[in-house]
Structures are given as C-alpha cells and as structure tokens.
Amino acid sequence: MPGDSSMKFDEMHAADGTARGAYRQYDEWLGAQELSWLRRQSDEAERFFRRTGITFNVYGANDGEERLIPFDVIPRIVTAAEWRKLERGIAQRVRALNAFIHDIYHRQEIVRAGRLPEQMISRNVAFLPQMVGFEPPGGIYTHIVGVDLVRTGPDEFLVLEDNARTPSGVSYMLENRETMMAMFPELFTRIPVRPVSDYPRRLARSLAACAPPAASDRPVVAVLTPGIYNSAYFEHAFLADQMGAELVEGSDLRVVNGRIAMRTTCGFQPIDVLYRRVDDEFLDPLTFNPSSVLGVSGLMDIYRAGGITIANAPGTGIADDKAIYSYMPEIIEFYTGEKPILGNVPTWRCSDSDSLAYVLDNLSELVVKEVHGSGGYGMLIGPTSSKAELADFAKKLRARPDNYIAQPTLSLSTVPILTKAGLAPRHVDLRPFVLVSPTGIEITPGGLTRVALKQGSLVVNSSQGGGTKDSWVLEE
Amino acid sequence: MLGRSANGIYWMMRYLERAENTARLLDAGFRLALTRGQGAARDEWRSVLVTMGQAAAYSRNHSEFNGPTVTNYILGDRDNPGSVRAMFEIARSNARSVRTALTREVWEATNESWMVLHDQLARPVKAGNLGEVLSTIRRQSTLVRGAVEGTMLRNEIYNFARIGTFIERADNTARILDVKYHVLLPSISWVGSTLDNTQWETVLRSVAGERAYRWLNSGNMDARGIAEFLILDGRFPRSLAFCFEKLRSNMASLARQYGHETPAHERLRDTVSRLHQTSTAQIFEFGLHETITAIIAEINEIAIEIAADYRFIA
C-alpha cells in the first residue's frame, strides 16, 4: 500500500540500513565523501546541463520556456544477474511486439485464434489501414523500443508500459553517464560499470541495416524532428549529431524522382532511412492530418513503393496502447510459444462492464490511465486524489469507459536521492532502450531511471516534476 | 549540408556580429556624450539609431534622444524586436536549429552568451554598468567567433558561418560610414578643429579602429585618411576591403567543394574588382555618400543571391 513504508523495497538499503549487494562498493565510496562536497558536485552538474543546453520544453508553459530535467547524482545500480534476466525478458517481449504488429497488418491470426477481440484492432485509432499487407524493409516495425519497468521487490520487475512509437529519453541516459564520469571519475575506476556510450553508433548501424531496396551502398540516414519547439528537440539534435546524420524538418523534404529528398545547399539529395520523431498523424498531410506542416506530402506513397524506410514504422502504436498492454501476456505466448519472462501489472479494462464496476467501486485505491495517454497526462492516482477529483474522474469513466484502464497502486521500489539533509528514498522506474534490426536485438545495459523527486510521489514523468539518475549495470 | 542549416548558421553569425558592432556603436556614442555638450550628444544618439535603422521605430514611443533611453531601447527594450537582447535570442535559436552543424564548443559559447545577456539585458542597464555590459557583449560575440575559428572543420559549414560574419560586418561598417559621411566630408572651416577630431575619433571607435589608424598614420586625423582606412585598407579587419576579401575566399572555397560557381560568385567578383580599382580621390569625386550607398546595396544583393544559390529557404 502507498505510504506504508514496511512494504516498500529500497534498492540500496536493506531493512537494517546496510547496503545491498549491488550498492556495496558504491556505499563504501559514498561513506568516505562529505555531504557538502556532494552537494557542490550536484550544483556543478546542473550548471553543466544548462551550459550544454540539455533542456526540454514544457507544453502549456510560457512560450519557448526551457527547463532542465533535474539530475540526481546517486546512481541507480542493477547487478549483472538481475540484468541478465531483464535482458531475456525484454528481448522476448520486443520479438513478440514485432510479430504482433506484423500479424495485425497481415492475417490477424491472433484474432482468428480468438486470443484478442476483433474490436481491439478495428476500433483502435492507432491502427493504420495504409499499413495493411505492407512489408516494411527488413521486416522490422519497431526499430527502437523503450520498455518501462518498475520494481516491487528483490526479484520482481514488472513491465509498466511498452513504448513502440517514438520512445524518448535516450539522450539523458547518455548525458547522465557523461556527467557522472565528469563529476566522479574515481567511481568508474573503482566500480566496473558497463558502458552505454556506443548507443548512437549501434543506432546508426541498426537503422542502416533496414535500408530500403532503393538505397545506395552507404545508406543516407536522417532524423526527422518537429523542430526546436518540440519538447524533445535536444534529443533529436543530439542523436543526429552523434550518428553523423542530418537533422531534418518537414520543410526540408519533398518528393523528387520517386524518393524523399532533402534540400541541401547543392540540390535535393535522397534519404534512405528516416528516423522520425514526428507522430504518425503528422507524417504525411496527403494521407493523415491534412493540416500538418511537420511531415512530407507523399511520404507514405514513397514508403509503400520501397523508396524509403521509416523508423519506427507507421502504425506501431497499435502495439503500445494501454488496452493492448493488458493482452501482452497472451500476445507473448501466442507469438513466442513461451511464458512471459517479465510480468505485466494487473490491469482492468474499463471497456469490460464488470471491470468498470470494480474500478468505480475502488477508485480511491487505483491508478487510472487513458488508453492512448502518455507523459503522465490525463491520469488519476486514486490514493492521492481528493473526493472531488475522484467524483469528477468517475464521471469521465462512465462517459467513455473504453478510453481507460485501471491498475493497482503499486508499491514501487525506491532508490535514495541526495537532498539537503542527506539521502532520502524516492520512487523510481527504469526505461531500457532496445534496438531491433534484421541481425538481432540489442539492449543497452542500463537505460533511463526516472525518479519522483517529491517524497511519496509515484509520478516520475519529467513533465510532472520527475528527475533522472544515471543507471548502472555492473559487469559480471 | 541542408539549405536550412546553411541559412541558420549564416544568420547566427550575422546576429552575433551585429550585436558586437552595436555594442561598439553604443560605446562610441557613450564616449562622445561624456566629452561633448548635450546638443552634440543628442545628435550622436540619433545617429546611432539611424545607423541601426531603428530611428523611426524609436520615435513612435520616444521623443527624447538621450543616452539612457536610447541605450536601453537598443540593448534590451522588450518592445524592440531589434534589441541586442533579441539578437542573442535569435542567434541562439538559430544555433539550436543547426545544433548538429556546430561543434560542442561553438554551441556552448553561443548558449552561454544568451544565458549571460538574456539576464543582464532583461532590466535597464545603470549608467555605471554600461561599460561593463557593452564589453560583455563584445566578449561573448568574440568568444563564439573564436570557438568557430578554433574548433570547426574547414568545410562548407565553416564557410557559411564566415560569410554570415563578413556580410554583416561589411554592412555595418558601410552603415557607420554612411551615417557619418558628413563628418568626413572635406570642409575648409572644420579641418583641424576639435569638433572634427572628436567626431572622427567616434567613427573610428565605432569600428574599433582608433588605435590601428593612429599607429598607421602617426596620429594624423584626416577625413580622407579615415575613409581610405575604412573602405580600402585590406589590413584592417573591419574595413570593407578586408570583409570582401574574406567573402571572396570563403565563396571560392564553396565553389571548390561543390565543383562549380554560382551567380553570387559573379556578382561578388564584380563588386570586389570595382572596389580594387577605386581610389580615395575617386570616392570623394563621385561622392562619399553615393559610393557608400551603392556598396550597401551591392552587399545586400550579394546576400540575396547567396541565399538563393544555396537554397537557404524552400
């Protein structure tokens, strides 16, 4: 139960206050440091982030206002053995996701087999009829996946959410590590931490491996961004820079001789692989939202004709909405023939009338999310909501039950953060980043740890006052 | 590289150069106001606004041409889209949009400039702090240019950055000359008077050329000498001749990389060769004002041609 500290699992400290295995070496080092020096390093880290412009824009805030995602200097540490299991579970899940999307846009065997209700697909706004029967280059739909994990006990990692569209945050994973290495170099000579820095190189390789038939020998990769006012613009620029790829906007692109080409200083040059950070509906005004200026007219036609690879493929959202999520255990079994290695959080689908009744009766103890929501927007956290907020949300639920799922309020694990008074436990989650190419699945050891900075809070989203930590996977 | 990126880095450097030159212009006005009476100062502040093309916009909300009002209007007035604060904002936003074309050092220097000046210029600057603020503006702009020099690969990106710098600098030097041309016009009654010398010094200070000029001319202030120095002396880094030489070499470098010249090369060559064939005597014969006006127009034409040839915008 939330607030009941006896149930909470702290990843660093056991109940008797001693450091757990993963943190033993770190704790030894930490014990020898002055708190005031750590505070100073922490302030230094913030200045570093500001100077380098590692900021994000907040929607709804003042025009163009940029904020820092608060960075906490205490790392989040996972042992080699824990990571091995996570890695197997994530790979299994990502394989199933790709097989599932392929099936949905082809024969829909899973529906025929009666394992997934037909309306989950036909009524889903993320389903794109334009993708039906189409085979994406390399057979890959979700080239880049972020799997959000939460921990509830020593051996219990659960998947909270799959991000199969355009998961963000990987630049923070990389910059957090850079910052830690700059602030505390001696830690990395003492403790064997697996490196994460080759992610951009792997991403570039992975994208190039999915080049379309029309591509040249050295595929041209470009990152498509909505522009400098997008909340994740820093990341788009960062990844393009690290990959040595062009960072393009819709206005740079047009169809030239059956290819998507970018306007360069010496004419239009075709692009082979487009790593797009623009949502499906804005990709092509001819096919989707006609008022979009973020995409390229004709992109979908060129894509379907084999002139370009889009990563992730359009229509992958079908696999990561929160209603489909509740079917993931079945989906994994159906496509891999294996039991899921990583569990799901129990989920009530409010579209089901019995579940809806249960959810309405127990609203004050549940977390309710929008099926297509993200970023922590539009969700209800029962235990921390007022009577009025609960009543208000119940109204919304009754009006559009299909739009919601509910989950128990989990007792998320904690990791300490550095506060003015010293260490204090805060709830965390973990988003490892997965790359999928025809040659295999690669998972960067670690990922992005998000931390709820407010005491007792369970909301880790950066848009809602969450921070991040460097995430360490220890060497074997 | 993307046409949009070329456009972005070009304007980023133009705005940083403009901010630096504006600081010099204000510094020169400030000096003149300290050493001369109210009347001369008023004219000087008005001419600063005219040089920057902001006199009309200023007059809409202000009737007085005094130091603090003009200075703060130019530095950070929120109603002035052409303020120095806005210049750093635009430079930084261009830098963000071409982040992948910049080295980390160039980006950080630009971002830092914006952070420092965005704060410092948010409130009116006190007279006592003006010198320090103006020097910060010059320093931040120099820092970015230094980072460009010291860390960027000598390729097309670098060339577009430099072209931005020198188009802007040529334009600024020409504008200063144009607004001050009457000061430089030979007039029997003025020659040798203190008014002349102070005014001339102001012109030189506006382009950071007072020491170089004195050194080259053993302290002899003379209208023709100053005009020749600012227009034709290729050794002085803010002269028109120097700027055009830099434009020529960076454009030549683009032609080498792309394997062909564009109409902008032709136009630039015309302007440069005409300038080379011009003597000070001819300038004064034709009319200093007429010469400068023609040069400003040509710089503008070249800039437009470059933007079109290299597909800066769709």
Side-chain angles (χ1 to χ4, degrees):
Chain A
M1 292 305 294
D4 181 356
S5 57
S6 65
M7 296 282 292
K8 245 180 266 163
F9 175 73
D10 189 80
E11 299 188 13
M12 181 166 177
H13 295 113
D16 63 2
T18 59
R20 296 183 197 273
Y23 286 84
R24 206 154 285 146
Q25 284 171 290
Y26 178 75
D27 187 59
E28 266 172 34
W29 173 87
L30 189 66
Q33 313 305 318
E34 293 282 345
L35 180 63
S36 60
W37 179 74
L38 286 171
R39 292 284 337 156
R40 274 203 307 281
Q41 291 300 89
S42 168
D43 293 344
E44 182 57 34
E46 188 182 317
R47 273 193 296 280
F48 174 78
F49 278 103
R50 263 202 203 287
R51 203 174 56 236
T52 48
I54 306 178
T55 56
F56 73 108
N57 302 4
V58 182
Y59 296 122
N62 277 345
D63 222 18
E65 189 191 346
E66 296 161 29
R67 290 193 200 159
L68 289 185
I69 297 186
F71 171 71
D72 179 70
V73 295
I74 311 290
R76 198 268 184 89
I77 310 177
V78 172
T79 64
E82 287 164 347
W83 183 250
R84 261 199 311 277
K85 185 183 166 196
L86 289 179
E87 219 171 16
R88 283 198 303 125
I90 294 166
Q92 177 197 49
R93 197 163 175 111
V94 169
R95 262 200 316 278
L97 282 171
N98 264 300
F100 170 66
I101 303 168
H102 184 273
D103 185 31
I104 290 311
Y105 288 116
H106 291 82
R107 289 181 49 81
Q108 301 197 348
E109 300 284 1
I110 194 166
V111 177
R112 291 167 197 241
R115 304 287 289 273
L116 184 75
E118 197 272 332
Q119 73 264 23
M120 292 303 301
I121 305 301
S122 58
R123 287 213 213 137
N124 198 315
V125 293
F127 177 79
L128 292 187
Q130 293 84 354
M131 290 297 288
V132 171
F134 175 66
E135 193 72 33
I140 311 289
Y141 286 88
T142 62
H143 308 74
I144 300 112
V145 191
V147 179
D148 289 356
L149 302 169
V150 294
R151 191 174 192 178
T152 53
D155 218 17
E156 290 154 42
F157 283 93
L158 298 172
V159 176
L160 186 63
E161 200 173 295
D162 303 289
N163 296 279
R165 301 175 207 212
T166 52
S168 62
V170 77
S171 58
Y172 295 97
M173 169 184 88
L174 295 165
E175 288 290 351
N176 286 354
R177 177 63 53 83
E178 287 297 316
T179 306
M180 284 297 277
M181 298 205 311
M183 300 294 136
F184 310 105
E186 74 279 15
L187 268 176
F188 293 86
T189 57
R190 283 168 161 243
I191 306 175
V193 181
R194 291 184 62 186
V196 294
S197 59
D198 63 345
Y199 177 86
R201 196 177 49 79
R202 290 183 185 200
L203 174 62
R205 203 176 50 199
S206 208
L207 290 170
C210 299
S216 52
D217 295 345
R218 281 188 61 189
V220 175
V221 176
V223 179
L224 176 65
T225 176
I228 62 169
Y229 298 109
N230 183 267
S231 68
Y233 177 76
F234 164 75
E235 175 155 308
H236 307 160
F238 177 88
L239 288 175
D241 188 38
Q242 296 275 310
M243 289 196 290
E246 286 291 358
L247 180 66
V248 299
E249 297 178 13
S251 63
D252 297 322
L253 307 178
R254 72 151 76 141
V255 176
V256 178
N257 298 328
R259 305 291 309 277
I260 296 296
M262 53 187 168
R263 194 183 76 249
T264 75
T265 49
C266 29
F268 281 88
Q269 187 197 353
I271 294 171
D272 299 316
V273 182
L274 192 63
Y275 175 25
R276 51 81 174 232
R277 298 293 299 259
V278 166
D279 292 344
D280 282 359
E281 64 169 313
F282 300 109
L283 273 181
D284 182 349
L286 292 184
T287 310
F288 307 116
N289 185 343
S291 65
S292 170
V293 290
L294 304 178
V296 203
S297 290
L299 176 60
M300 283 304 283
D301 287 344
I302 304 293
Y303 180 54
R304 292 185 52 98
I308 194 166
T309 297
I310 303 176
N312 290 347
T316 54
I318 191 74
D320 77 356
D321 78 47
K322 293 180 177 72
I324 293 289
Y325 164 86
S326 64
Y327 290 96
M328 272 312 284
E330 284 97 326
I331 289 172
I332 292 169
E333 280 205 63
F334 188 80
Y335 296 103
T336 67
E338 301 161 6
K339 288 271 175 217
I341 299 166
L342 290 169
N344 251 25
V345 177
T347 302
W348 289 276
R349 295 186 276 267
C350 300
S351 54
D352 175 89
S353 57
D354 289 350
S355 298
L356 177 65
Y358 175 86
V359 171
L360 287 169
D361 284 348
N362 296 278
L363 206 51
S364 66
E365 285 159 28
L366 299 172
V367 174
V368 189
K369 299 173 178 174
E370 286 185 8
V371 168
H372 296 289
S374 67
Y377 292 104
M379 69 190 269
L380 173 91
I381 300 179
T384 60
S385 298
S386 69
K387 281 223 169 78
E389 284 167 335
L390 290 172
D392 205 42
F393 210 91
K395 253 187 249 160
K396 287 196 221 167
L397 258 173
R398 282 197 199 90
R400 287 191 62 197
D402 300 10
N403 197 36
Y404 297 94
I405 55 112
Q407 294 170 336
T409 311
L410 294 175
S411 162
L412 298 188
S413 64
T414 58
V415 174
I417 63 167
L418 183 68
T419 68
K420 287 203 172 61
L423 297 194
R426 293 290 186 274
H427 295 292
V428 293
D429 77 354
L430 176 66
R431 174 180 291 181
F433 293 94
V434 190
L435 295 173
V436 189
S437 77
T439 53
I441 293 176
E442 292 184 285
I443 307 168
T444 304
L448 180 66
T449 291
R450 298 186 298 177
V451 52
L453 296 173
K454 258 193 286 175
Q455 191 172 5
S457 168
L458 294 168
V459 185
V460 296
N461 301 81
S462 52
S463 46
Q464 317 251 324
T468 68
K469 284 171 167 292
D470 190 17
S471 314
W472 295 1
V473 173
L474 301 181
E475 300 268 9
E476 295 283 342
Chain B
M1 76 185 291
L2 292 177
R4 181 174 52 82
S5 303
N7 185 54
I9 194 158
Y10 166 87
W11 281 106
M12 165 192 151
M13 295 307 282
R14 277 197 76 160
Y15 275 103
L16 288 170
E17 182 67 25
R18 190 176 298 179
E20 179 181 341
N21 293 332
T22 303
R24 292 186 199 288
L25 207 53
L26 289 176
D27 195 39
F30 185 53
R31 289 280 296 210
L32 192 81
L34 286 182
T35 50
R36 303 294 306 285
Q38 280 291 317
R42 197 177 305 121
D43 287 346
E44 184 57 26
W45 289 122
R46 190 203 299 273
S47 90
V48 166
L49 286 163
V50 172
T51 309
M52 295 186 63
Q54 297 188 355
Y58 178 87
S59 301
R60 270 198 286 280
N61 292 316
H62 304 87
S63 47
E64 276 287 299
F65 290 91
N66 62 51
T69 317
V70 172
T71 306
N72 280 308
Y73 178 79
I74 290 175
L75 285 180
D77 195 320
R78 278 165 207 275
D79 294 331
N80 179 9
S83 71
V84 171
R85 188 166 187 257
M87 290 178 200
F88 278 99
E89 180 97 44
I90 299 169
R92 193 250 186 184
S93 137
N94 271 299
R96 267 194 97 203
S97 79
V98 299
R99 178 63 188 85
T100 53
L102 307 176
T103 59
R104 191 165 185 138
E105 278 88 341
V106 172
W107 159 248
E108 286 182 13
T110 313
N111 191 40
E112 188 194 291
S113 301
W114 171 77
M115 288 194 300
V116 170
L117 289 158
H118 194 70
D119 275 0
Q120 281 198 15
L121 302 180
R123 291 164 302 280
V125 176
K126 288 198 194 77
N129 292 337
L130 184 62
E132 180 54 32
V133 168
L134 294 179
S135 117
T136 304
I137 294 169
R138 290 197 303 268
R139 198 166 48 235
Q140 292 296 343
S141 179
T142 306
L143 192 66
V144 177
R145 212 170 46 241
V148 168
E149 274 300 308
T151 64
M152 285 189 45
L153 202 62
R154 287 337 192 230
N155 60 8
E156 49 188 344
I157 302 174
Y158 174 82
N159 295 134
F160 284 114
R162 300 294 279 170
I163 289 169
T165 297
F166 289 105
I167 286 278
E168 185 66 28
R169 190 179 292 177
D171 173 81
N172 293 177
T173 298
R175 278 164 183 274
I176 289 168
L177 273 168
D178 191 35
V179 172
K180 299 285 187 181
Y181 78 94
H182 60 273
V183 176
L184 296 169
L185 278 181
S187 155
I188 304 296
S189 61
W190 284 5
V191 171
S193 72
T194 40
L195 174 126
D196 235 356
N197 281 337
T198 324
Q199 289 270 8
W200 287 344
E201 202 176 297
T202 309
V203 175
L204 288 170
R205 285 190 75 89
S206 309
V207 292
E210 73 278 18
R211 280 201 65 232
Y213 179 83
R214 252 188 252 122
W215 188 76
L216 287 170
N217 296 277
S218 345
N220 255 344
M221 287 284 179
D222 145 89
R224 278 172 189 260
I226 292 171
E228 182 173 84
F229 179 64
L230 295 185
I231 299 173
L232 300 175
D233 196 328
R235 295 168 298 179
F236 177 57
R238 295 183 176 272
S239 73
L240 294 176
F242 184 93
C243 295
F244 278 117
E245 168 51 27
K246 287 290 178 189
L247 287 173
R248 192 204 56 75
S249 64
N250 281 284
M251 288 291 283
S253 170
L254 285 180
R256 264 199 309 283
Q257 290 166 77
Y258 295 157
H260 58 87
E261 292 199 339
T262 69
H265 286 88
E266 187 66 25
R267 201 179 267 281
L268 179 62
R269 209 169 12 246
D270 278 359
T271 305
V272 171
S273 70
R274 232 172 307 134
L275 196 64
H276 277 166
Q277 288 159 18
T278 309
S279 66
T280 321
Q282 284 170 318
I283 290 175
F284 280 92
E285 196 176 313
F286 180 58
L288 183 58
H289 175 61
E290 286 71 14
T291 307
I292 297 295
T293 314
I295 290 176
I296 291 175
E298 281 177 47
I299 296 167
N300 192 36
E301 293 292 327
I302 292 167
I304 291 169
E305 193 61 63
I306 290 173
D309 292 353
Y310 294 108
R311 299 168 181 82
F312 278 11
I313 37 184

